[in-house]
Amino acid sequence: MLEQMLLSNLNNKAELDDESFEYKSIFLSSVVPDPTNGRFLPSICIDDEDARLFVARKLSKAQLTKLYQGENHVLIGKSIIINCLEHGSEDWKRASQTIDSIIELGDNISVSEMIQAPTLYPLEDGRFQILTGHRRFFALVYAKGYGAAAQFKVYDSKPLLTKVKQFQENASREDLPQYGKLQAFSNALTEIEQLNKARLQSGLSRLTVREIVPKLGISMGAYDNYKVLSRYPVVMSAYERGCSYSFIKMKRLILSLESQYKEAHNKSTLNAMDKRAVSELIEQQLQGIKKQPAKSKSSFITTSFASHTALQRLLTQDVTQLACGVDWPTLDWQDKKAVSAALECVIAYLEQES
């Protein structure tokens, strides 16, 4: 479907980025989130009166959850956000982090104007789909209530490259989790690939990397980082599970393991089977890093005895009275290396005397 629309635009010489829009006041109750967006919460917005009753403790969490069939969702209304996902699950943890940022933003909206309005496009049923600004939309519901209206940037129709537009915004936001950024990049590249297929059908050449990068709104260096990180699904899965590695650190790990694999197998390029093997290495490495091996305890005595007489004298005499070169009064008995060195001096002295 998208390829056909892209093909039609290309054949009509239309500019893909030339969508018209205007700023409008839209009721929040007529706005629909996008479940494929990295900012999405499995949310249900609740009526302002029900939110008021919950805040006044005249409606319980269980009653509200039953009323809105809210299990495995996040209930959002004026002054309330309730996480009804399975407690302690990865989804619950990710939702909790997002909820904290929504509440903080909602509190700011309550006392000041929102600087950047979320963007929407119209649906056939009269409602509007969120294109960018999911967290801002949820914060508006939290601050103003689901029945309130707010200012939005509204496109006349659905933009063709919606995932590219979402990535353009998400890539520049530091607070978006790494998993969300990688997911947004992957979705944007899928659209770019569909655009390239349409271009070939129109007799045009594929977009080069230098042409793709400006469309994504990132630098060449950032594009290279994303390309490396998105090579292996295991990396995205790791970030989805809460991996805290920076993109730079993860990229170095991937490139290092790829280099080691190529050297070990005398290869200059990696085929599909090679990439599966590297993927397993990445997963093993990440698991190994999460579970650090316990440090071995160093022993005090590091030298064996060559003379039984020396051992006997060590165990039966006060060796601190021997002129073996150890400064006993200043010896730090908590320092294992220093104590072991002192014992070695004593043993060497006793074996010379034997």
Side-chain angles (χ1 to χ4, degrees):
M1 181 66 178
L2 176 58
E3 283 184 33
Q4 293 302 317
M5 294 174 66
L6 290 169
L7 184 59
S8 175
N9 268 55
L10 291 170
N11 289 335
N12 293 327
K13 309 292 184 183
E15 291 291 333
L16 294 176
D17 298 325
D18 192 25
E19 296 101 350
S20 56
F21 61 86
E22 60 181 317
Y23 287 89
K24 296 181 181 179
S25 182
I26 304 291
F27 282 105
L28 300 180
S29 57
S30 64
V31 176
V32 181
D34 176 7
T36 66
N37 186 274
R39 280 291 192 188
F40 178 73
L41 281 175
S43 60
I44 297 175
C45 293
I46 65 176
D47 183 80
D48 292 348
E49 178 61 16
D50 291 332
R52 185 190 68 79
L53 291 173
F54 179 81
V55 172
R57 299 190 177 184
K58 295 181 179 179
L59 200 61
S60 69
K61 176 181 176 180
Q63 290 172 320
L64 201 61
T65 302
K66 183 178 180 180
L67 180 64
Y68 285 89
Q69 297 180 334
E71 287 187 9
N72 298 318
H73 288 79
V74 176
L75 301 180
I76 304 176
K78 184 172 174 57
S79 302
I80 66 166
I81 302 184
I82 306 172
N83 189 348
C84 300
L85 295 165
E86 183 182 350
H87 191 276
S89 66
E90 290 299 325
D91 287 341
W92 183 89
K93 292 175 184 176
R94 284 197 300 273
S96 294
Q97 293 173 348
T98 304
I99 288 168
D100 289 341
S101 68
I102 290 171
I103 291 174
E104 182 179 358
L105 181 56
D107 291 339
N108 291 336
I109 290 172
S110 298
V111 296
S112 62
E113 291 295 322
M114 181 178 289
I115 298 174
Q116 187 178 9
T119 60
L120 312 174
Y121 60 85
L123 299 173
E124 293 180 356
D125 60 3
R127 295 184 299 170
F128 297 86
Q129 177 87 64
I130 298 178
L131 179 62
T132 63
H134 281 77
R135 190 175 66 105
R136 279 166 282 158
F137 166 72
F138 293 135
L140 284 167
V141 174
Y142 176 80
K144 297 174 178 259
Y146 195 40
Q151 193 81 354
F152 291 91
K153 176 181 176 180
V154 184
Y155 286 97
D156 290 347
S157 60
K158 180 181 178 179
L160 286 175
L161 301 178
T162 57
K163 299 305 176 186
V164 170
K165 284 190 175 294
Q166 288 175 353
F167 177 76
Q168 287 173 351
E169 176 170 319
N170 288 333
S172 63
R173 301 185 72 88
E174 292 298 326
D175 56 339
L176 181 64
Q178 292 145 314
Y179 169 68
K181 289 186 176 182
L182 276 182
Q183 185 186 49
F185 178 78
S186 179
N187 291 338
L189 273 199
T190 298
E191 279 192 344
I192 293 290
E193 185 55 34
Q194 290 175 307
L195 173 58
N196 276 330
K197 288 180 180 179
R199 286 176 63 87
L200 291 174
Q201 291 180 49
S202 299
L204 301 172
S205 61
R206 294 174 61 88
L207 293 173
T208 65
V209 172
R210 291 192 177 277
E211 291 171 320
I212 292 172
V213 167
K215 288 185 178 295
L216 295 175
I218 55 177
S219 66
M220 288 290 290
Y223 177 81
D224 182 62
N225 290 344
Y226 276 112
K227 284 290 287 183
V228 173
L229 292 166
S230 60
R231 274 208 284 266
Y232 300 96
V234 66
V235 173
M236 188 176 291
S237 297
Y239 280 118
E240 186 179 12
R241 294 192 301 268
C243 177
S244 60
Y245 271 31
S246 68
F247 280 170
I248 296 299
K249 185 175 182 180
M250 183 67 80
K251 179 185 177 182
R252 287 173 181 163
L253 172 63
I254 294 169
L255 294 179
S256 174
L257 291 175
E258 284 182 337
S259 178
Q260 292 173 26
Y261 183 89
K262 287 177 181 178
E263 184 177 351
H265 296 83
N266 193 26
K267 296 211 171 191
S268 57
T269 58
L270 301 176
N271 59 31
M273 290 186 63
D274 295 327
K275 288 183 179 179
R276 281 198 292 271
V278 173
S279 180
E280 291 178 5
L281 292 174
I282 293 171
E283 189 164 23
Q284 290 170 9
Q285 185 73 12
L286 291 175
Q287 290 174 348
I289 290 169
K290 284 184 178 180
K291 299 177 181 178
Q292 293 284 359
K295 294 183 178 179
S296 60
K297 296 181 179 180
S298 57
S299 57
F300 280 101
I301 300 176
T302 58
T303 303
S304 59
F305 288 84
S307 166
H308 70 278
T309 305
L311 176 59
Q312 183 182 16
R313 292 186 62 189
L314 175 66
L315 297 175
T316 58
Q317 292 184 11
D318 182 2
V319 294
T320 62
Q321 302 301 317
L322 300 176
C324 58
V326 177
D327 188 2
W328 297 106
T330 62
L331 180 62
D332 182 3
W333 290 93
Q334 300 297 321
D335 186 341
K336 290 187 176 182
K337 289 185 177 180
V339 174
S340 295
L343 284 171
E344 288 178 0
C345 289
V346 171
I347 293 167
Y349 176 84
L350 292 173
E351 289 185 336
Q352 285 180 351
E353 293 292 308
S354 299

